[in-house]
């Protein structure tokens, strides 16, 4: 699904040059669950941003489903994001003024999906995430665990081929963290590719492979025996 070759990302100011990613080579197969780990500042969030087509490398090649997207313009990248990628963030990124239903519906509106189909798909995914009883509530009326369920539902409603999760349990207690990780693991078992950035070794064990980063480079990769089936 994903092939990164000799990827480099450098941030420059008038006085400083910082290499965030240096010579990254990484392949991710369809159906994998990959956890990216490393200390703060190692480049893992920058790598996730590039995988999510929110940032672009200075050099190197990014193949997504066999197509080199390194030279795509913003319109082309936006179309790929809307149709193929689901994002789950630590901070939930829900819109406070919209109900749970409206938050989850939003990506389908961007895709131009007809209203009747939007309603059917949103209701189905809210039920699947066991948050349908909160459909008319605002995000601030929900617990942190419930808000993350809504965020996962929003990511899934477009039927993405790839879910990108950036510290998805960072604002949750241990019980809700485990529930979110079990949800991601189940989605992966159903065929969705998942790439997750995490500081937690415990949560990384839900993945089938751990990629360890340091100073903008991949230093080790470990194939995991899946502990949580």
């Amino acid at each position: 699904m994903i092939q990164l070759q000799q990827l480099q990302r450098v941030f420059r100011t008038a006085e400083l040059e910082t290499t965030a990613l240096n010579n990254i080579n990484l392949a991710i197969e369809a159906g994998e669950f990959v956890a990216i780990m490393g200390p703060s500042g190692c480049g893992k969030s920058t790598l996730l941003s590039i995988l999510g087509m929110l940032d672009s490398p200075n050099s190197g090649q990014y193949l997504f489903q066999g197509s080199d997207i390194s030279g795509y313009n913003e319109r082309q990248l936006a179309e790929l994001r809307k149709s193929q990628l689901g994002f789950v963030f630590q901070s939930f990124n829900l819109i406070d003024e919209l109900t749970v239903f409206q938050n989850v519906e939003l990506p389908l509106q961007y895709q131009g999906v007809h209203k009747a189909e939007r309603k059917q798909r949103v209701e189905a995914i809210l039920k699947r995430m066991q948050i349908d009883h909160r459909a008319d509530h605002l995000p601030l009326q929900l617990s942190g665990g419930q808000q993350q369920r809504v965020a996962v539902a929003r990511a899934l409603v477009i039927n993405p081929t790839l879910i990108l999760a950036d510290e998805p349990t960072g604002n949750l207690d241990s019980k809700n963290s485990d529930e979110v990780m079990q949800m991601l693991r189940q989605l992966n078992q159903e065929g969705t590719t998942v790439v997750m950035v995490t500081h937690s070794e415990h949560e990384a064990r839900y993945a089938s492979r751990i990629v360890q980063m340091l100073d903008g480079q991949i230093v080790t990769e470990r194939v995991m025996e899946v502990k949580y089936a």
Side-chain angles (χ1 to χ4, degrees):
M1 170 178 274
I2 288 172
Q3 184 80 40
L4 306 181
Q5 299 174 347
Q6 305 289 312
L7 212 68
Q8 185 144 348
R9 182 66 171 104
V10 179
F11 295 98
R12 295 183 177 93
T13 66
E15 301 168 349
L16 187 65
E17 180 174 293
T18 303
T19 300
L21 298 176
N22 185 18
N23 193 31
I24 296 291
N25 295 286
L26 180 65
I28 298 173
E29 300 295 331
E32 275 199 280
F33 188 158
V34 177
I36 301 173
M37 299 190 72
S40 297
C42 72
K44 57 186 184 297
S45 291
T46 300
L47 177 57
L48 199 72
S49 292
I50 289 176
L51 290 174
M53 306 171 198
L54 300 170
D55 191 13
S56 299
N58 297 94
S59 61
Q61 192 174 51
Y62 179 1
L63 298 176
F64 183 77
Q65 295 185 332
S67 298
D68 184 0
I69 67 167
S70 305
Y72 276 27
N73 61 35
E74 179 51 39
R75 182 187 61 78
Q76 292 170 307
L77 293 174
E79 287 300 318
L80 269 181
R81 285 195 300 268
K82 286 193 299 183
S83 63
Q84 302 283 335
L85 307 184
F87 296 90
V88 181
F89 301 98
Q90 174 179 342
S91 56
F92 316 137
N93 284 8
L94 301 175
I95 299 174
D96 292 341
E97 294 78 18
L98 299 182
T99 65
V100 164
F101 186 99
Q102 291 167 334
N103 267 280
V104 176
E105 182 185 32
L106 205 55
L108 298 178
Q109 290 180 308
Y110 292 148
Q111 288 185 346
V113 176
H114 189 272
K115 183 176 181 180
E117 183 181 349
R118 292 202 309 266
K119 183 176 186 294
Q120 181 182 32
R121 287 169 66 172
V122 172
E123 287 177 346
I125 199 64
L126 289 179
K127 185 174 182 179
R128 182 180 178 186
M129 292 294 105
Q130 299 177 10
I131 197 69
D132 50 313
H133 61 296
R134 297 287 193 177
D136 294 328
H137 287 67
L138 297 173
L140 295 179
Q141 296 174 306
L142 308 180
S143 69
Q146 289 172 331
Q147 288 186 61
Q148 195 59 296
R149 284 181 180 272
V150 177
V152 173
R154 182 185 57 191
L156 290 177
V157 76
I158 65 167
N159 298 318
T161 57
L162 173 65
I163 289 179
L164 298 169
D166 190 0
E167 300 282 1
T169 64
N171 287 332
L172 303 178
D173 59 29
S174 58
K175 179 179 180 294
N176 282 307
S177 294
D178 283 340
E179 287 182 1
V180 169
M181 292 309 305
Q182 287 164 8
M183 277 193 291
L184 291 176
R185 182 65 196 159
Q186 181 180 353
L187 294 169
N188 174 249
Q189 290 174 331
E190 293 169 359
T192 305
T193 306
V194 179
V195 179
M196 172 182 69
V197 161
T198 182
H199 281 96
S200 168
E201 185 74 35
H202 170 73
E203 288 163 14
R205 290 177 187 156
Y206 284 86
S208 54
R209 180 159 54 114
I210 297 177
V211 174
Q212 191 79 33
M213 294 188 67
L214 183 66
D215 297 335
Q217 296 181 307
I218 294 173
V219 290
T220 62
E221 295 187 43
R222 287 184 285 157
V223 176
M224 304 295 291
E225 178 183 349
V226 178
K227 186 175 181 180
Y228 305 100

